DNA sequence: CAATTATTGCAATACAGTTGCAAATAACAC
DNA sequence: GTGTTATTTGCAACTGTATTGCAATAATTG
């Protein structure tokens, strides 16, 4: 993606086309996987930009709809007893993105197909599955 | 679960039965969902114990196999372009727990059944799914 | 009860994320 | 091009969770 097209894209989104912002957008657009702020700062460490600037640019790009921002999980560890009935086998967990409550889904079955780059893990079932969204209670509160 | 049974359980695991440790184990055993260190500290805030003590007890219990510790996700946000082909629709992500690499699984299909407390979200498909495990590359490195 | 060894409290550190504020710079009108 | 204005940037500071060192304390064992 050339520089003038990046500039044009940013202007169309009502954002100024600064060097840092263009670098960030180019990087994210060319990436084959979602990148973290840390990875981006590392990739652009030879540039003259501050970490915070890159961070704020990512947030700006998100607000403008040019990038999607997801936190796949939450920044805390969870502990559960291994003695519990449903704790015997691994099971998916549902995490409510509104209230933060976690629900075990011991009876949930899921079928995964079409994996690329992680066939072995999925084939063997040595995986941890997390589903994230609004729980029924929080949906109710929002009248959904 | 009474106190002497907790004591017995801890001793069987080669751990001393301190008041703090028994309180933590009891709490985790009685909980219906995985608890975070923060939640546990909050629940036991009337006790005389330091946060760090509760934290170390959780780690001790984990090492002894009495509790399972999982971080459903990672403590970082990820950014991806909304302009990418496969970015148009939501798709599961695979996160390698060894190398931290993330893989998009745009072609993966999954069927969820038996949801409790999160039926609406799953029915509507307004969910984010993360699968976690060792990627093929990391499995290869370990000779699996 | 005394000796030994594990555990605890406190303080400090690490790291990602986030924000305030003054200085620098892009956009725009001329 | 030059000047004006609003946005953006760098720096420093602060939040929250996780983690560790070390000296004081408590649980075990005999």
């Amino acid at each position: 993606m050339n520089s003038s097209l990046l500039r044009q894209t940013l202007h169309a989104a009502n954002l100024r086309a600064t060097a840092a912002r263009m670098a960030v957008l180019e990087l994210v657009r060319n990436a084959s996987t979602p990148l973290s702020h840390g990875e981006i700062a590392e990739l652009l460490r030879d540039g003259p930009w501050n970490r915070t600037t890159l961070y704020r640019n990512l947030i700006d790009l998100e607000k403008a709809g040019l990038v999607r921002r997801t936190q796949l999980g939450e920044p805390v560890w969870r502990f559960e007893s291994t003695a519990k009935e449903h704790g015997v086998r691994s099971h998916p967990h549902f995490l409510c993105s509104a209230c933060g409550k976690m629900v075990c889904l011991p009876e949930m079955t899921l079928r995964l197909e079409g994996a690329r780059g992680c066939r072995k893990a999925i084939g063997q079932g040595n995986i941890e599955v997390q589903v994230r969204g609004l729980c029924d209670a929080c949906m109710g509160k929002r009248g959904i």
Side-chain angles (χ1 to χ4, degrees), chain A residues 2 13 19 23-24 33 39 48 51 55 57 65 77 81 88 92 95 112 114 117 120 129-130 132 138 141 144:
Chain A
N2 69 54
V24 169
T33 64
E39 289 167 341
R51 270 184 83 89
Y55 168 73
N57 277 324
W77 290 90
S81 170
V88 190
L95 179 68
L112 300 167
K120 289 183 192 170
V129 175
Q130 181 196 0
R132 202 165 202 229
C138 286
K141 282 176 200 156
I144 304 176

Side-chain angles (χ1 to χ4, degrees), chain A residues 49-60:
Chain A
W49 309 295
N50 187 279
R51 270 184 83 89
T52 310
T53 298
L54 303 178
Y55 168 73
R56 281 200 259 225
N57 277 324
L58 285 166
I59 304 295
D60 292 339

Side-chain angles (χ1 to χ4, degrees), chain A residues 56-118:
Chain A
R56 281 200 259 225
N57 277 324
L58 285 166
I59 304 295
D60 292 339
L61 292 174
E62 186 212 1
K63 284 186 186 156
L66 293 173
V67 307
R68 179 183 308 126
R69 180 204 210 201
T70 45
Q71 188 178 33
L72 296 163
E74 40 162 21
V76 295
W77 290 90
R78 300 246 176 191
F79 301 85
E80 64 181 328
S81 170
T82 52
K84 286 192 310 193
E85 332 66 52
H86 75 255
V88 190
R89 61 188 176 78
S90 158
H91 53 267
H93 291 90
F94 183 90
L95 179 68
C96 179
S97 44
C99 65
K101 281 236 180 81
M102 179 173 292
V103 184
C104 296
L105 302 172
E107 297 170 26
M108 174 175 277
T109 64
L110 73 174
R111 218 174 51 197
L112 300 167
E113 293 164 0
R116 298 259 182 286
C118 51

